[in-house]
Amino acid sequence: MSSVWSSDCFSDLLCCEESSGILSGESPECSSDLESPACSEESIAGFIEDERNYVPGFDYLSRFHSDHSLDISARADSVAWILKVQSYHGFHPLTAYLSVNYLDRFLYSRRLPQAYGWPMQLLSVACLSLAAKMEEPLVPSLLDLQVEGTKFIFEPRTIRRMELLVLGVLDWRLRSITPFSFVAFFACKLDPTATFIGFLISRATEIILSNIKEASFLEYWPSCIAAAAILSAANEIPNLSLENPEHAESWCGGLSKEKIIGCYRLMQEVVIENSGLKKSSPDVLPQLRVTVRGRVRSSSESSSSSVSLSSSSPISYKRRKLNNCLWVDDDKGNSE
C-alpha cells in the first residue's frame, strides 16, 4: 500500500501541478476532426492504421485478473457513472466514449491506490471534464459535473491537477480514434441506397454506448466495434438482417474478419442480456468534499501533501494518518 502512495503518479497529482514536464512542449491538439464522417476509404484506412495508438495495450484486459491495482468492478462503476452524467447533462455520445477511453488509457499506464474509492472517482471526473471540453459547446462547472450519486465532491483545483496528470500520461493526445470515427462510413457500405442510414447510425451509437461498461470489449479495437455495432443494428431491419458478418471485412482494408465476427457475437449476447434489464434509479450516496493540498519543492526535496475530507453534516472532528496522506474534516482542515 505504501509503495502505491509514494509512486510518481500521485506525487504528480498532489505536488506537481506546475511541473514543467507536463506543461512544456508543443501545444496540445484540441480538435475533434477525427470524429467527422469520413468521405473516403483512404481516410478510414488511415484511421484503422492509427487506432492502435489510442487504445490501452493488448494485455490491459488480462491485467484486471492478475494485477491487484486494477479492479474490474471499480471500472464498471466509473463507466456507469460517466453514462449517468452524460445523460443528465445531455452530452454527446462521443463525450462519454472519450471519457472512458481516457480512463482506460490512464489506468493502463499508471496505478491508483486500492484501499479507498476517491482516487478512481477523481480520475473519472477529470476524464469526463476533459472529454466535455473537447466536444461540448457548453461545459458545466466542475462542481456541477459531479452529480448522479457521486460519493465525494472534489474541489475544482483538485480536479484541474488531476486533469494535468491525465494529459501528461496521455501525452496530450485527446483526439482519440473511436468507433464513431467509422460508423457513418460502415453504414454507407452496408446500405448503399442510404435508405436506413439514419437508423443504422443512431442504433449503432446506442449499442456502442451500452457496451462500453463491459470489459470484454476491451479486447477489440474501435473499427471492429463499429463494424459489429452496424451489423447488430442491421439485424433490426428486415431488409438488412440477412447481412453476413463475414462480408464486413470487405468494407475497408485492414479489417479483420475473425475479430469482427468475435465482437459481433459478443455484442449479440450483451444486447440480448441488456434487453431484459430495467433501468433502476441511482442510489443516493452521502456526498463528501475532498480537498487535496500540496506544495511544490525542488527535485532534491521530498514532496509533501495532504488530503482533507468533510461530510456535509456536522460530525465530530476526526483525523487519521494513512501513509503520507492526512485525512481531516474540512471545517478544521484549513488549520493544518
Side-chain angles (χ1 to χ4, degrees):
M1 176 67 186
S2 59
S3 61
V4 174
W5 279 98
S6 61
S7 64
D8 290 338
C9 69
F10 270 78
S11 168
D12 290 344
L13 167 61
L14 299 178
C15 304
C16 298
E17 61 271 21
E18 298 177 359
S19 172
S20 59
I22 292 180
L23 297 179
S24 62
E26 298 180 356
S27 299
E29 298 177 344
C30 295
S31 169
S32 57
D33 294 341
L34 292 180
E35 305 309 326
S36 301
C39 299
S40 68
E41 186 168 335
E42 183 179 356
S43 299
I44 293 297
F47 291 166
I48 294 175
E49 178 67 24
D50 293 339
E51 64 182 337
R52 69 186 66 196
N53 300 318
Y54 297 93
V55 295
F58 69 93
D59 59 335
Y60 180 51
L61 180 59
S62 63
R63 282 169 53 182
F64 277 103
H65 305 290
S66 59
D67 190 338
H68 295 298
S69 68
L70 291 174
D71 188 332
I72 200 167
S73 62
R75 178 193 180 274
D77 290 343
S78 293
V79 175
W81 175 79
I82 288 172
L83 292 175
K84 288 179 183 178
V85 179
Q86 181 254 339
S87 176
Y88 180 91
H89 285 295
F91 290 159
H92 295 104
L94 176 58
T95 301
Y97 197 96
L98 284 176
S99 304
V100 179
N101 175 263
Y102 300 161
L103 182 142
D104 284 328
R105 287 162 61 192
F106 181 95
L107 290 177
Y108 181 75
S109 301
R110 293 294 185 96
R111 298 181 61 188
L112 291 179
Q114 287 293 294
Y116 295 90
W118 71 263
M120 187 66 169
Q121 185 181 315
L122 176 58
L123 174 61
S124 302
V125 174
C127 290
L128 180 57
S129 174
L130 289 172
K133 291 171 184 176
M134 286 289 292
E135 297 301 325
E136 301 300 327
L138 296 175
V139 181
S141 70
L142 292 175
L143 290 176
D144 291 336
L145 202 61
Q146 302 176 73
V147 294
E148 292 297 307
T150 52
K151 187 176 181 181
F152 303 100
I153 296 296
F154 299 96
E155 299 229 356
R157 61 179 178 176
T158 304
I159 300 172
R160 293 189 194 103
R161 289 171 185 157
M162 190 66 190
E163 287 179 351
L164 287 175
L165 180 57
V166 172
L167 287 169
V169 170
L170 301 187
D171 197 23
W172 293 85
R173 293 179 298 131
L174 301 185
R175 294 198 313 165
S176 299
I177 296 175
T178 75
F180 302 115
S181 306
F182 304 94
V183 288
F185 181 84
F186 290 166
C188 291
K189 285 292 186 178
L190 184 63
D191 181 24
T193 64
T195 305
F196 306 103
I197 289 292
F199 174 83
L200 286 173
I201 294 175
S202 176
R203 181 60 182 138
T205 298
E206 294 176 358
I207 293 172
I208 290 168
L209 283 187
S210 68
N211 289 334
I212 58 175
K213 192 169 74 170
E214 300 292 332
S216 300
F217 286 96
L218 293 169
E219 195 175 335
Y220 301 98
W221 286 359
S223 60
C224 181
I225 293 174
I230 288 293
L231 290 168
S232 296
N235 282 341
E236 302 178 21
I237 302 176
N239 292 1
L240 302 176
S241 60
L242 297 180
E243 180 70 22
N244 191 334
E246 295 184 4
H247 296 163
E249 184 183 25
S250 64
W251 292 349
C252 186
L255 294 174
S256 168
K257 178 176 66 176
E258 291 75 16
K259 285 290 187 179
I260 292 175
I261 293 176
C263 186
Y264 172 75
R265 289 174 178 171
L266 176 62
M267 201 167 283
Q268 291 302 295
E269 296 174 3
V270 174
V271 168
I272 293 174
E273 180 181 346
N274 289 343
S275 64
L277 299 178
K278 295 182 179 180
K279 292 183 179 180
S280 58
S281 57
D283 296 333
V284 178
L285 299 175
Q287 292 189 336
L288 305 176
R289 177 181 242 176
V290 177
T291 305
V292 180
R293 300 196 305 275
R295 58 193 180 93
V296 181
R297 296 182 179 180
S298 63
S299 59
S300 61
E301 297 179 357
S302 60
S303 300
S304 62
S305 60
S306 63
V307 181
S308 64
L309 298 110
S310 72
S311 173
S312 56
S313 59
I315 57 174
S316 60
Y317 174 54
K318 301 177 182 178
R319 69 176 67 175
R320 59 174 171 154
K321 186 88 172 180
L322 179 61
N323 297 326
N324 294 325
C325 293
L326 180 64
W327 295 53
V328 302
D329 292 330
D330 189 64
D331 46 355
K332 294 195 178 184
N334 292 332
S335 63
E336 291 297 315

